[in-house]
Structure formats: structure tokens, C-alpha cells
Amino acid sequence: MSSKYGVLTLGDAMITLNPEETGPLRFVNRFERKVGGAELNFAIGCARLGLRSKWISRLGKDEFGKVIYNFARGEGVDMSDVAYVNGYPTSLNFKEIREDGSGKTFYYRYQSPILTLKPGDITEKMFEGIDIVHLTGVFLAIDPKNVNIAKRVMEIAKQKNLPVSFDPNIRLKLWSIEEARSVYYEIFPYVDILLTGLDEIRLIIGTDSKESLAEFAKVNAIDQLVIKDGKHGSKLYIKSEWHEKEAFPVIPVDTVGAGDGYDAGYIYGYLNGLSIDERLTFANGVGALVTTVAGDNEGLPYLDEVMPFIQNETVIER
């Protein structure tokens, strides 16, 4: 049965070349083709949790574009507002994974197909059946004009009384922190739920003290400030109070995509009316499960995988 809750996001997607060996990329000889992209990961994460998930994007009219389209459609993502374009190759990235699970990403996304998306392409019809809009800083970093597209999306959301969630998802290989900070402060007035890593918010506002974070949320009228802190768990500032939940202990294999999974888990909890503690626990669980599988989105769990994990239930395999 389709969920009664719908989520909309937009952004670029890429073919990700995952190394079949750990260590510096220059010594890696074999790669496995996967599909990646922060917003698409989020859309897939939401779909696997049972939400109706719509992704707006543009793909190169090439073989890699077809791979991404078919993969996302197969995951149950609504692709009705994704189009192929000629003359713009589908973006690529190569991942480097170290022995401890940490990694680096090397982008090849010059002339990305998403550059053909314009503010006028965003229509009110796209928001039919949508209950929340989610954006990330990756889309904003690709090209300066994307700020106006994001604003168009958020303005329609506000007209329809839809909450907006935003993950800064800083990519310093795409723009400088000064450029990012300037754009984020244009975006914050529209944001109801800010989902940010502790290291990211430290870069944005220059500090990470609870007092400073609380003041930042108040000044920018952010209803829910969610701080993701990896193995240290996460915390939420809401209604002038802090709430914290510890992380689930796991042995990480690949940390890429964990933040996108956390976002999907938090939004699922928010839409389904989970309590604050339940929401943080659920999101922590989703993020932890993502790190146990290699790949950008392969570890994004289904709902029937998250619940036993966070409740520490024994799953009978055979």
C-alpha cells in the first residue's frame, strides 16, 4: 500500500565508480559501477521506508543516464519530472575508500545535465500529493543559477504550507566555504528543518557550542535544528530545548550516504508523528545501517530492517 505521505527533492545524480580495493585511488585498478547523488540517495531512502518519493532532475541522453533512470524507477522513485537532455554527459564520480571506512570523492561533472534545469521548469503541479520538500547544498554548489531554482521550489512550498528541510551537505571541491555560507544564508529563511553535520555547522557559523547553535536557530527561525555527529549520535534543538540520542555501535564499511540515510529516517519519523526521542533513534538507526554496506545507497534500509535493528531484535535467517 502506498504511503499517505509524499516527499519531493531535486538534484543531480551520478554514476559512481566504487573501488574494489581499499587505499589511495592511484593504486586501485578495478571499479564497480554504481549510482549515486545526495538527493537521489535521499529519495531512494524515503522510498525504501515506504514514503512516496519524487525526484526532479535532468540526465544525459546516454547509456549512463539510462542506468540511473532505470535504477531509480526500480527503487520506486517517482520519475515523472526527470528528463533526458542531449549534449550534456551524465555526471561521474570515483570514490576512494580507506581501510577504516572513510573516503574521498573525485567528481567529473563538468557540463552536468542538471545545468539545463531552469526556474520556469518548476511548476505547481509537481507538488501534488507532496507533504514535505527536501533540498541539499550539493545542488546549490553545482551552478550559481541553481539558487534561483531552489528558491522557486521553496516559494511554492511555502505557498502550499509545506515544510522545507535542508541539508547543507557541504562539498568544498565544488565551491569555497565563503561561497557556500553566503548562499546558505539566503536559503535559511525558508527552512523549517535543518539537518546538518556537526562539522558542517561549525564551518557555517564558526562555532558548535549549544548556546551558539540555539541562537543561530532562533535568529534564522529554524523550527528544528538537527545535528548529526556520526558515531557520537545526534541531537535536536526544538522549542528552546535540546534532545540527544546516542549512536548505534556498528563496524563501518563505507560511510558515504549515511547522512542522506539519516535525513530520510528523520523525515520519515517527522511525517509519521514519531516522538522526538523516537525520531532521533530511528534516524540514528537508518544512518548506522547505511555504513555497514559499501556503496552510496546499497545500505539504505527498508522499514522492516530498521525496526528490528533499533529494537535489538533477533532476526531469524533460516
Side-chain angles (χ1 to χ4, degrees):
M1 181 180 295
S2 178
S3 170
K4 62 180 179 180
Y5 297 115
V7 176
L8 179 148
T9 188
L10 83 161
D12 196 19
M14 300 170 289
I15 291 294
T16 295
L17 283 303
N18 281 351
E20 294 190 355
E21 310 160 51
T22 57
L25 203 61
R26 61 186 177 275
F27 299 121
V28 176
N29 298 306
R30 295 185 301 276
F31 297 85
E32 183 178 15
R33 187 194 69 199
K34 299 285 187 179
V35 172
E39 298 88 1
L40 180 55
N41 289 343
F42 172 81
I44 291 170
C46 288
R48 289 187 185 173
L49 293 174
L51 299 173
R52 287 182 290 104
S53 182
K54 174 181 280 194
W55 176 57
I56 301 171
S57 192
R58 296 293 182 266
L59 297 171
K61 197 171 184 180
D62 51 32
E63 292 301 306
F64 283 154
K66 294 173 184 175
V67 169
I68 294 172
Y69 188 97
N70 292 339
F71 174 73
R73 183 174 58 181
E75 288 289 341
V77 176
D78 182 346
M79 303 291 283
S80 57
D81 293 304
V82 177
Y84 291 113
V85 293
N86 287 309
Y88 290 79
T90 299
S91 300
L92 305 176
N93 78 56
F94 287 79
K95 286 170 60 180
E96 174 184 276
I97 299 176
R98 296 300 179 109
E99 284 74 8
D100 63 357
S102 64
K104 296 180 181 178
T105 300
F106 299 85
Y107 296 106
Y108 297 86
R109 63 200 314 172
Y110 177 70
Q111 290 296 88
S112 164
I114 202 71
L115 295 176
T116 64
L117 188 67
K118 302 180 294 295
D121 294 327
I122 307 301
T123 66
E124 291 191 19
K125 185 178 179 181
M126 294 175 173
F127 294 74
E128 292 179 0
I130 297 301
D131 297 286
I132 192 168
V133 169
H134 178 77
L135 300 175
T136 90
V138 179
F139 175 69
L140 299 172
I142 293 171
D143 190 87
K145 73 174 181 60
N146 288 353
V147 177
N148 289 329
I149 297 174
K151 286 183 177 179
R152 167 72 174 161
V153 170
M154 294 185 293
E155 285 165 359
I156 295 177
K158 292 305 179 185
Q159 291 168 12
K160 295 182 174 295
N161 293 317
L162 301 177
V164 172
S165 67
F166 178 67
D167 185 337
N169 225 325
I170 297 175
R171 296 288 189 271
L172 293 180
K173 290 187 177 181
L174 298 179
W175 60 356
S176 69
I177 186 57
E178 291 77 19
E179 291 171 314
R181 189 182 294 123
S182 175
V183 169
Y184 293 159
Y185 275 97
E186 292 184 52
I187 298 298
F188 289 150
Y190 298 91
V191 175
D192 301 289
I193 303 172
L194 181 62
L195 298 145
T196 178
L198 182 64
D199 55 339
E200 291 177 322
I201 198 66
R202 188 184 298 124
L203 285 172
I204 295 168
I205 70 174
T207 180
D208 59 10
S209 70
K210 284 186 174 180
E211 295 76 16
S212 298
L213 293 173
E215 182 63 20
F216 163 80
K218 292 175 183 176
V219 169
N220 291 280
I222 294 170
D223 293 335
Q224 301 176 45
L225 173 59
V226 183
I227 306 295
K228 299 177 283 186
D229 195 16
K231 65 181 181 180
H232 302 296
S234 62
K235 56 191 174 187
L236 165 65
Y237 183 75
I238 183 173
K239 296 180 179 178
S240 300
E241 292 185 1
W242 281 103
H243 303 262
E244 300 186 41
K245 278 293 176 182
E246 62 185 18
F248 290 91
V250 293
I251 300 175
V253 174
D254 184 358
T255 59
V256 174
D260 305 324
Y262 182 101
D263 293 354
Y266 187 88
I267 296 305
Y268 171 89
Y270 168 75
L271 290 174
N272 281 279
L274 299 189
S275 70
I276 290 173
D277 284 352
E278 291 171 336
R279 206 181 306 167
L280 292 174
T281 298
F282 188 88
N284 282 347
V286 174
L289 285 169
V290 173
T291 70
T292 64
V293 180
D296 282 27
N297 45 57
E298 283 74 8
L300 291 166
Y302 291 88
L303 186 59
D304 60 4
E305 295 173 318
V306 181
M307 300 311 294
F309 176 74
I310 64 176
Q311 294 168 4
N312 198 27
E313 295 178 0
T314 300
V315 177
I316 299 175
E317 299 291 352
R318 62 179 182 178

